[in-house]
Amino acid sequence: MSAVAYEQREVRRARYAVAAVFAVHGAVTGSFATRVPWIQDHAGVSAGQLGLALAFPALGASVAMPLAGSISHRFGARNALRGLIALWTLSLVLPSLAPDLLTLCLALFTYGATAGMADVAMNALGVEVENRLGRSIMSGLHGMWSAGALIGSAAGTLAAHLGSDARLHHVLAAAALTLIGVLSCRWVLDLQPAEDEEPPPRFALPPRSALLIGAVGFCAVFAEGASLDWSAVYLRNQLETSAGLAAACTTGFTLTMALARFAGDRVVDRFGSVRTVRVSGVLAALGGLLIVVAGHPAVAMAGFALMGLGIAVVVPLCFAAAGRSGSNPSLAIAGVATITYTSGLIAPSAIGGLAQATSLTVSFGLVTVLACGLAVFAGVLRAGDRDRPKVSRPNAAVPDPRP
């Protein structure tokens, strides 16, 4: 076998390995989300206290993300991802063990910190694999994350329906997901820093390019968080539908996003990142407009479906563009991740606060305006359309970090 053929085989295998890691990461999230009511009862916290505690995963992620680069530099990309994904999967156990508000906040801070660092490491490796393949794969990788989240949430829903103890459920889930994640890391790219390469700073401000790219990601994640958390409420309260139909709207939105991500790489390869995001922004804005003017549940559900279709590929393309911007891709990826995590943190409460002051219709008017921003500012993702050579340095270090 020639050296080129061998490298191509290794890169293809690395693609499937990192896709499995993305699925594991999503499955942890889905497993946790479905047991939040049990965790609330076990910790004995009120709805307001739970809302406070649920801010701590994003806080932990924001603090820890910049550390991912220095960890990858010190241990190598493969070992770093193996350790970080194991810490993330094992941290799933912590929230269900918390007996009160303080320990729950600390557990969720740790949960978020490990999630953020693993997020940065796996996205950095995903961008490197995409560069070596010479075609888009980031959308599909994030589609695998969505698929993992759906599988994890389905298993969690079954466990909750059976009345199982979340501590036992999460111990079993963490054990299985840790095993899958660690084994998958065996085949990811083993990137090592050059001997004379300076270690990245533990903490550093993201480059200006990452701030602009992150702003686009902020708009997409804000629309995603608003739709996930408020679509069912919108149908139930504004359009007076049944609880089942309202829940089906949220499920449909999630499935639309997942399917669009799996199909997104072909679209990006054909039309490029900028044109794809511009059209995506138009679709998302059209979906938001349908939601705002909807007088019938079917119209609103179509609007949420279009919203999911429009925002599905934006965040993967933001990570891809960050990974090709400037001389410090890892730091740029960390910056974009921090901004998007922040957006996911504030979106649900911002929508709720605006709805309290005005109405949910006005709240989704804001989401529609932000969706228009995707079309207007898509040009900052032009870095994602650079030529991507299929062969790259065998020992290239994963540029700096973030989570």
Side-chain angles (χ1 to χ4, degrees):
M1 181 183 295
S2 68
V4 173
Y6 177 79
E7 181 178 1
Q8 289 176 341
R9 189 187 70 173
E10 292 298 301
V11 172
R12 286 195 298 268
R13 188 164 63 178
R15 175 188 179 181
Y16 297 130
V18 77
V21 173
F22 268 79
V24 166
H25 197 287
V28 175
T29 303
S31 298
F32 165 74
T34 53
R35 305 314 304 270
V36 168
W38 190 99
I39 292 170
Q40 179 185 7
D41 292 341
H42 178 69
V45 297
S46 66
Q49 291 173 325
L50 178 64
L52 171 65
L54 290 176
F56 276 78
L59 292 175
S62 298
V63 170
M65 281 178 178
L67 296 173
S70 58
I71 293 173
S72 292
H73 182 275
R74 180 172 181 178
F75 298 104
R78 178 185 292 169
N79 288 333
L81 181 59
R82 182 184 289 120
L84 292 173
I85 199 67
L87 288 175
W88 162 232
T89 52
L90 292 173
S91 73
L92 173 62
V93 177
L94 298 178
S96 62
L97 299 177
D100 53 41
L101 177 62
L102 177 60
T103 54
L104 180 60
C105 290
L106 292 174
L108 290 175
F109 184 90
T110 304
Y111 172 87
T114 55
M117 290 188 290
D119 191 326
V120 171
M122 70 188 192
N123 273 286
L125 277 170
V127 171
E128 180 65 24
V129 172
E130 182 175 272
N131 288 342
R132 296 190 183 198
L133 286 173
R135 63 179 185 273
S136 177
I137 66 165
M138 289 299 292
S139 181
L141 292 180
H142 282 255
M144 288 296 295
W145 189 97
S146 298
L150 285 171
I151 293 171
S153 62
T157 300
L158 177 60
H161 179 72
L162 295 175
S164 69
D165 189 307
R167 290 169 294 188
L168 175 61
H169 165 212
H170 283 167
V171 165
L172 295 176
L177 293 172
T178 300
L179 179 62
I180 296 171
V182 169
L183 289 177
S184 298
C185 288
R186 179 178 180 181
W187 294 284
V188 301
L189 295 177
D190 189 20
L191 307 180
Q192 299 291 338
E195 292 184 2
D196 58 347
E197 183 177 337
E198 290 292 325
R202 287 185 174 87
F203 290 97
L205 292 175
R208 181 173 177 271
S209 60
L211 297 178
L212 296 174
I213 294 168
V216 174
F218 180 96
C219 294
V221 173
F222 192 99
E224 179 181 354
S227 298
L228 280 174
D229 288 358
W230 289 96
S231 56
V233 177
Y234 190 91
L235 262 72
R236 186 70 186 271
N237 294 350
Q238 298 294 112
L239 302 177
E240 300 180 346
T241 66
S242 67
L245 187 61
C249 178
T250 303
T251 301
F253 170 82
T254 305
L255 286 173
T256 300
M257 280 197 65
L259 293 174
R261 282 177 168 173
F262 282 120
D265 289 320
R266 288 188 178 184
V267 176
V268 174
D269 282 334
R270 180 164 185 177
F271 299 105
S273 301
V274 174
R275 281 192 289 176
T276 298
V277 172
R278 280 182 178 151
V279 174
S280 295
V282 171
L283 290 176
L286 178 59
L289 184 61
L290 288 177
I291 294 168
V292 170
V293 303
H296 189 277
V299 177
M301 292 178 76
F304 281 112
L306 276 177
M307 182 73 74
L309 182 64
I311 64 178
V313 302
V314 177
V315 172
L317 291 181
C318 287
F319 280 116
R324 300 187 192 100
S325 63
S327 59
N328 199 336
S330 289
L331 189 59
I333 290 174
V336 169
T338 302
I339 293 169
T340 56
Y341 267 70
T342 302
S343 180
L345 171 65
I346 68 173
S349 57
I351 292 296
L354 185 57
Q356 182 71 27
T358 55
S359 69
L360 266 179
T361 301
V362 173
S363 295
F364 276 96
L366 172 62
V367 174
T368 304
V369 171
L370 291 176
C372 292
L374 298 177
V376 174
F377 299 109
V380 302
L381 303 183
R382 202 169 302 281
D385 288 334
R386 293 177 185 172
D387 292 336
R388 293 172 289 217
K390 293 186 179 181
V391 179
S392 61
R393 322 162 314 258
N395 289 321
V398 176
D400 283 22
R402 64 108 277 168

